[in-house]
Structures are given as C-alpha cells and as structure tokens.
Amino acid sequence: MIVAGDQQLLKQINRMALVRQLCSEPGLSRAALAEAVGLTKSTVSLLVRELLDEGWLAENDIRVTGALGRRATPLQLDRERLALLGADLGIGMARIVATNLLGEVLAEQELPYLDAADTAGCIALMAQGLEELSTCAALAGRTVRGIGVGLHGVVDDATGVLHHAPHLGWRNVDVASQLRAHFDGTPLAELPLFIQNEANVAALAELEFSGEHGADPLIYLSLNYGVGAGIIVNGRLLTGLYGFAGEVGHTILQQGGPVCSCGRRGCADALIGLQALLDEVYGRQQHPATPEQLEQLFSEAEAGDAHAAQAVETAGRNLGVLLNNLWVAFDPMCIVIGGAALRLGDRLIGPGRQVLDDCARATQLQAPTVRTPRFGHNVIAIGGAAMARHYLMRPFVDQGPARRGNAKLSELPPSVAAGLMAWN
C-alpha cells in the first residue's frame, strides 16, 4: 500500500517513472522527459542527475535540433554500469545469467544437478553459481541491482515457497529462505530477490527485453511436461487472487478426454503436454519421464515414425484449440510459444497455427501473432533478470500477500490449497 506522505517512496516512484519512460522512448531530453511524465523540469533535472550518478541512465551526444537555446542532451538506459542476475531452477539443471539493464547477456552458465531429488543440494548449487557469477570478470565495474528466479511448479511468490514441482518431485520447498541463507555474508545478501513461476518469468522476458512495442496484452505459453502460461495485461503480470492465474494446462479442451493429473478429463495438460505425448506413444511410463525417453520421442518424431508423428499432430491440433481459447479470452496482441516442446518444431506448432487460422477465417477477425521466444533455451533465466528489472522499476507494485487480499497458499483451507496444487 502507498502511504500518503511517504516522501522517499514518492521520490523512488518518480525516479523509476523516468527510467521506464526511457525504456519505451530512449533518447528523450530532460525537457521532453518532464513533459512525458508530468513532472517539473527542475524535479526531472535533479532526479536525472541522481540516476546518472547511480548508473541507471547515460547521456548521448548532444542533439542538434535547430532551435534556439541550450541544445538537448538525449538520455537512455546505461548498458555499462549495472547488472541483473537471473536463474532458471529447471528440471535437470539450473541455468544462470547476468544481463545489463537492456537484457544483453554478459555471462551465463549451466549447472547440471548431481541429484535432482536433493532439493537443498540443487538450490545450493544455484546459489553458489549466482555468487560466483556476480564477481566474474564480465561484471567487473558493474553493480548488481537484483536477482530473479523462475521455478517450475506452484509458487507462492509472496513467500518464495515452491509448493509443488511435479516433474521434479519437490513439495513445500522454501526456496527464498534457502537462497537467503546461502547469500548471507556475500555481496548478494541485501539484494532484492524475486521468485515466480517459470511461465510468468518467461513472459516478463518478452515484455521487458524483447524491444517489441505494441505487444500488450501478451501471453507466454509454456509447453513442457505440462502446460502453463504467463499473461501480461497493461504492462503487469496477471497473477489472480492466489497467484495461480495462467494455469491453462487445466482448461478442458475435450470433455470426456484422457484423465489428467488433476483428476479431471480432457485438460490441455493431458492432450498437449510432453508427458501426455510420451504416454500416448510409449504407454504410461514412470512419472516424471526421463530425459532419455524425451529424446527418444523427439528423434522418432523427426524421423517420421508413424505413431509418434500422429501423436504430435493430434497434440498440435489440440494446441490450436487452446490458442483459440486464449485469443477469445484475452484478445492478446501476441502469443509466444516456448518450452521444451519447441524441439518438435512445426510438426507441433504447424497444426496449431492452422486450427487458429481456421477459427480466425470463420469469424473474419485477425488472429494474434504467434511466435517463438526471442531468447531460446535461456528465456527463463533471462526472464529472471527481466523480473528483477520489472519490479525494481515499479516500486509502487506491492510484492506481498496484500495484493491477493492477505491470502497465502499456506493459509487457505486444506481442500482449496490441495486443489490448487493438483493443478500442476
């Protein structure tokens, strides 16, 4: 909640309003910036001087406009002096990156787990990697401003607790507290730490770092062992009452269809997710599937194996139904399809696009743009850095449980909490 009379908060809001304006309109002068954000020129001059000193902003060469008086000095985000850290606590490994304020990757690393069942060991590995990355040569002379982490499962972003990661077999892991404990006594100890579900994090990468304007609302559709989505509306994540908006894997696409892990039938997870594909092609296997089984599916689909190819095409058509449902529900400018299922390429995406195009022709409307992520397999780690930038530049956005009516997952009735967790 913003408290009236909190001058420090008001000042920080104004400072970051200038930074956000220059994200969307780099090259504005101080006078143009004052007009754009509605502050006085004197206030903008004072705030810009602070932001220049701290490394948020940089000045370009003076612009010749032909007008009388002092020549305008264009401003932009400084790509040289600050850094952000991002991490993807993935299924078989952690990926970590350091970026500048524009999302340009300065350093990156993959950290395979020694034992994916050892939650503390996996988190410790990632924490050590982030600490080492923050002091690597590529970040020499830079100040790290924040850390963002994407988790594959049900996340309470107010507390940093991963309640259920079904494809890791993890439950009720306090990721935030463990990371803070590892960061204690290091340069990362006092940095802002942000934790979110991986699809939300990837959506923020596309919002903050893609350089694409006019793509809001935006949906990031994550196709992995299960299906999820990150939804951006008016420049913010749509997280819902309890933080679980975007669980589109449990929208029903086929009444009476195959049984889903949530207990219902015909969910998107049970028709499109990689685990469902593996079950269809090879029969029900161990859960979660092994990386070797997944590679076998990719190889057989690429080689044109009839059974695998048919299963992928059917999943693709169901994907098209989901794309249509997302279109009519949110009317997005853009749907970004990401996740491990992209390895199936146009064999999966092509039928989905065709179904969506058929729906568009039937209604004589323009379907949204459908594309793949701009950041490849690093989209979640880069999204972690994007999440840090997103919230650092929005100090007025409440990060705590008040955003959800003071409700945490741990405080919900057991039946409600169990139902939400079963969705993943």
Side-chain angles (χ1 to χ4, degrees):
M1 177 183 294
I2 297 176
V3 180
D6 189 336
Q7 292 302 310
Q8 283 302 110
L9 177 58
L10 181 60
K11 180 180 179 180
Q12 185 64 1
I13 289 172
N14 288 337
R15 279 162 43 99
M16 290 298 109
L18 301 181
V19 175
R20 291 198 311 279
Q21 191 67 37
L22 289 168
C23 287
S24 58
E25 293 186 84
L28 293 179
S29 66
R30 289 166 174 78
L33 195 54
E35 183 177 354
V37 301
L39 295 174
T40 66
K41 292 181 181 179
S42 59
T43 297
V44 168
S45 292
L46 288 172
L47 296 180
V48 164
R49 173 47 53 196
E50 289 184 7
L51 293 166
L52 288 168
D53 291 343
E54 294 172 19
W56 286 96
L57 301 182
E59 294 179 315
N60 283 349
D61 294 334
I62 292 176
R63 178 187 298 152
V64 178
T65 64
L68 297 176
R70 183 178 178 181
R71 293 176 177 177
T73 303
L75 297 164
Q76 64 181 14
L77 265 64
D78 191 327
R79 65 179 68 207
E80 303 296 336
R81 290 186 289 162
L82 300 184
L84 304 163
L85 299 182
D88 170 12
L89 192 64
I91 303 301
M93 69 176 67
R95 287 189 171 95
I96 57 175
V97 302
T99 76
N100 63 13
L101 289 180
L102 278 71
E104 297 165 340
V105 175
L106 307 171
E108 60 184 293
Q109 193 173 1
E110 291 183 349
L111 305 169
Y113 302 144
L114 296 177
D115 178 3
D118 178 10
T119 58
C122 294
I123 294 169
L125 179 72
M126 185 179 71
Q128 181 180 352
L130 287 168
E131 182 189 349
E132 293 173 354
L133 200 67
S134 71
T135 57
C136 72
L139 270 64
R142 293 179 183 266
T143 301
V144 178
R145 285 292 184 176
I147 307 166
V149 180
L151 306 179
H152 295 246
V154 179
V155 181
D156 186 338
D157 60 336
T159 62
V161 173
L162 175 63
H163 284 286
H164 186 205
H167 301 296
L168 279 167
W170 296 3
R171 284 187 178 272
N172 299 320
V173 181
D174 193 341
V175 177
S177 292
Q178 291 191 43
L179 285 175
R180 285 295 186 200
H182 288 294
F183 293 157
D184 190 36
T186 76
L188 305 185
E190 302 302 320
L191 290 180
L193 174 64
F194 307 97
I195 295 177
Q196 257 290 0
N197 167 267
E198 51 91 15
N200 288 338
V201 168
L204 287 172
E206 298 294 333
L207 173 71
E208 296 289 338
F209 289 156
S210 72
E212 182 178 9
H213 299 292
D216 182 350
L218 177 146
I219 297 174
Y220 181 93
L221 184 60
S222 178
L223 304 180
N224 289 295
Y225 289 97
V227 180
I231 302 166
I232 303 289
V233 179
N234 293 329
R236 299 191 190 182
L237 275 175
L238 178 64
T239 54
L241 179 62
Y242 298 116
F244 300 109
E247 291 294 343
V248 299
H250 300 286
T251 56
I252 296 176
L253 304 184
Q254 184 184 108
Q255 191 172 15
V259 177
C260 181
S261 60
C262 70
R264 296 180 298 172
R265 289 184 173 272
C267 293
D269 258 21
L271 294 164
I272 303 170
L274 287 175
Q275 186 65 63
L277 269 174
L278 288 164
D279 290 345
E280 173 65 25
V281 175
Y282 306 116
R284 293 190 67 83
Q285 305 288 314
Q286 67 180 74
H287 290 249
T290 65
E292 292 76 19
Q293 291 170 326
L294 199 55
E295 285 299 323
Q296 183 180 353
L297 173 66
F298 293 150
S299 298
E300 291 182 1
E302 185 174 3
D305 174 82
H307 192 190
Q310 181 60 51
V312 172
E313 182 180 354
T314 300
R317 290 198 298 269
N318 286 312
L319 169 62
V321 176
L322 178 59
L323 291 173
N324 175 72
N325 292 349
L326 292 173
W327 173 30
V328 299
F330 297 101
D331 192 19
M333 290 286 291
C334 181
I335 300 176
V336 182
I337 300 178
L342 285 186
R343 287 277 303 278
L344 295 167
D346 201 51
R347 291 176 295 277
L348 177 69
I349 307 302
R353 289 181 187 272
Q354 184 62 56
V355 170
L356 180 62
D357 289 344
D358 289 345
C359 293
R361 278 192 295 272
T363 57
Q364 299 182 8
L365 295 173
Q366 180 67 43
T369 298
V370 176
R371 63 170 175 83
T372 55
R374 302 195 185 281
F375 306 104
H377 65 272
N378 262 350
V379 64
I380 300 169
I382 292 173
M387 176 167 56
R389 186 183 103 158
H390 181 80
Y391 288 121
L392 288 171
M393 290 184 181
R394 292 164 176 79
F396 52 86
V397 176
D398 184 3
Q399 290 300 297
R403 187 185 65 226
R404 301 197 292 273
N406 293 316
K408 299 179 184 178
L409 183 63
S410 59
E411 297 169 352
L412 297 178
S415 59
V416 176
L420 289 170
M421 290 170 65
W423 274 29
N424 270 283

